[in-house]
Amino acid sequence: MVERRDPALEAELWVTAVTGLESGGRELQAWLRSGVVLCQLANCLQAGLVPRVSGEEKPFKQMENIGNYLGACAKLGQHANDTFQTITLYENKDMYAVVKQLHSLGRLPSTAPGPTKLLP
């Protein structure tokens, strides 16, 4: 029997393992759309990497969170080819690119305490 992998679920489980936050059954895009979880992920990988995270539900604030997360990923050494544009996540245009970015981030060597290279 061949087991089918679910890359989106693997990415969600990795984010949960690192941050301690759970999706509450929401789809990955809905869970990540505000950027808050992503900013918290970056801050778990390196404390203070995203100093200001907005909890406001205004679209421009949520997109700013996503942009700040992507900037943090660049500071962690993630290559530009492994990332996505803010609007890609916010408007649910290409979740494959978002999942690919999370997997790439999970493979980066980390100087932060905790597990590294958790994603295949």
Side-chain angles (χ1 to χ4, degrees), residues 46 49 71-80 82 104-105 108-109:
Q46 183 176 320
L49 201 54
C73 291
K75 288 177 186 175
L76 289 170
Q78 189 167 45
H79 194 275
D82 291 329
S104 170
L105 182 63
L108 287 177

Side-chain angles (χ1 to χ4, degrees), residues 74-104:
K75 288 177 186 175
L76 289 170
Q78 189 167 45
H79 194 275
N81 289 341
D82 291 329
T83 193
F84 60 90
Q85 293 186 349
T86 299
I87 203 75
T88 301
L89 169 59
Y90 191 79
E91 292 187 357
N92 199 14
K93 292 185 179 269
D94 183 4
M95 284 306 292
Y96 174 77
V98 175
V99 169
K100 179 182 154 201
Q101 185 272 338
L102 287 167
H103 279 263
S104 170

Side-chain angles (χ1 to χ4, degrees), residues 10-79:
E10 290 173 3
E12 178 184 335
L13 292 172
W14 179 71
V15 172
T16 297
V18 173
T19 64
L21 302 172
E22 295 187 11
S23 69
R26 291 181 286 172
E27 289 189 23
L28 188 63
Q29 190 271 342
W31 186 44
L32 301 178
R33 185 174 191 237
S34 73
V36 171
V37 171
L38 294 173
C39 289
Q40 291 178 349
L41 172 63
N43 285 336
C44 285
L45 295 175
Q46 183 176 320
L49 201 54
V50 181
R52 285 178 282 167
V53 181
S54 175
E56 293 185 44
E57 294 187 22
K58 297 176 182 175
F60 72 94
K61 287 294 189 180
Q62 293 178 339
M63 287 189 278
E64 185 178 81
N65 284 342
I66 296 168
N68 290 339
Y69 161 76
L70 293 172
C73 291
K75 288 177 186 175
L76 289 170
Q78 189 167 45
H79 194 275

